[in-house]
Amino acid sequence: ETGVTQTPRHLVMGMTNKKSLKCEQHLGHNAMYWYKQSAKKPLELMFVYNFKEQTENNSVPSRFSPECPNSSHLFLHLHTLQPEDSALYLCASSQDGATSGRVQETQYFGPGTRLLVL
Amino acid sequence: SQELEQSPQSLIVQEGKNLTINCTSSKTLYGLYWYKQKYGEGLIFLMMLQKGGEEKSHEKITAKLDEKKQQSSLHITASQPSHAGIYLCGADWSGSARQLTFGSGTQLTVLP
């Protein structure tokens, strides 16, 4: 139990569906992240939110739409996905170094959502 | 070649044996993070190294960052089946710790 929860844990969706992934952190952190982990590929950073503002977007297709309503919750809205989007989607949180006074802050990960797009 | 390389890709050891996993960066590291992942699950934080020459230990796992801050090793002493999993190193090249680049991982199997 890392203090970061993700729901659902498993999701199967068709290419025309719209679904959302949810992440919640109970650590009092102010930065949250979405990562994608595909088979046989390194973990890829998708989005970073700091104080609810998106600070990084690593060239992610628009069919992935993040939302961060507050510093404890992060969503990833999915629509018209492709089969190659099937992967493990991981959420993480950290305390941003700018506020903690430390440069290096550890990211804590949730258990992930296993997504299958048919 | 990859900017962050882990070796070996997979490792099978007998219980009780020692083992080492390496993570080599093409750039100077501001920070190097080690995580462990059970298949299909989230990453569990193990250790973070920041200073050249730094060494940290947790139970039977020791991680080092070389003086030039471009390579790290993770050493497990007297391995146990509970050590099995995928070990990932994450590199911070920016100094912000937000943009981590991860290696491809090392799949460790410990035979009882």
Side-chain angles (χ1 to χ4, degrees):
Chain A
E1 186 70 37
T2 63
V4 181
T5 58
Q6 289 187 242
T7 54
R9 293 294 310 276
H10 301 274
L11 179 62
V12 180
M13 59 187 290
M15 289 189 285
T16 58
N17 292 158
K18 290 185 180 180
K19 296 286 183 184
S20 296
L21 309 185
K22 180 183 176 182
C23 175
E24 183 174 0
Q25 58 95 1
H26 312 275
L27 301 169
H29 290 162
N30 56 17
M32 297 187 77
Y33 311 76
W34 278 118
Y35 286 88
K36 176 184 178 182
Q37 189 176 38
S38 305
K40 300 188 178 181
K41 288 178 69 176
L43 200 59
E44 300 171 75
L45 179 65
M46 299 174 72
F47 301 104
V48 180
Y49 273 84
N50 183 260
F51 291 104
K52 301 184 297 178
E53 292 184 7
Q54 188 179 131
T55 58
E56 308 285 349
N57 176 342
N58 282 4
S59 304
V60 180
S62 60
R63 56 185 183 270
F64 294 92
S65 175
E67 178 190 1
C68 189
N70 54 63
S71 57
S72 298
H73 294 87
L74 185 65
F75 295 89
L76 188 63
H77 303 299
L78 316 172
H79 62 99
T80 59
L81 294 193
Q82 304 298 312
E84 60 264 29
D85 296 321
S86 299
L88 181 68
Y89 288 86
L90 291 161
C91 172
S93 72
S94 70
Q95 184 62 30
D96 186 66
T99 56
S100 70
R102 296 200 298 239
V103 174
Q104 293 296 332
E105 286 295 347
T106 300
Q107 293 181 26
Y108 292 90
F109 285 77
T113 295
R114 173 70 64 186
L115 173 67
L116 177 62
V117 182
L118 300 176
Chain B
S1 63
Q2 291 184 352
E3 293 182 303
L4 189 68
E5 286 199 35
Q6 272 189 249
S7 62
Q9 283 189 318
S10 64
L11 193 53
I12 302 173
V13 300
Q14 202 70 41
E15 183 176 0
K17 296 294 185 183
N18 302 337
L19 63 106
T20 300
I21 298 168
N22 293 302
C23 181
T24 302
S25 170
S26 61
K27 309 175 192 178
T28 299
L29 296 160
Y30 282 90
L32 190 286
Y33 297 76
W34 283 103
Y35 289 87
K36 178 185 175 185
Q37 183 181 28
K38 291 284 190 182
Y39 179 75
E41 297 181 9
L43 279 63
I44 304 298
F45 171 71
L46 296 175
M47 278 171 278
M48 185 270 283
L49 304 165
Q50 189 177 350
K51 301 174 184 175
E54 188 173 14
E55 180 174 324
K56 288 187 178 178
S57 293
H58 176 68
E59 297 180 342
K60 294 185 178 180
I61 301 177
T62 300
K64 301 178 186 179
L65 184 62
D66 79 358
E67 289 287 343
K68 295 182 179 177
K69 298 177 67 176
Q70 288 193 289
Q71 185 175 53
S72 178
S73 60
L74 186 84
H75 185 77
I76 299 177
T77 304
S79 58
Q80 301 169 355
S82 61
H83 287 127
I86 301 168
Y87 289 82
L88 293 158
C89 63
D92 175 15
W93 291 318
S94 68
S96 74
R98 274 190 247 145
Q99 280 271 16
L100 294 186
T101 299
F102 284 86
S104 299
T106 296
Q107 172 81 56
L108 173 63
T109 303
V110 181
L111 301 174

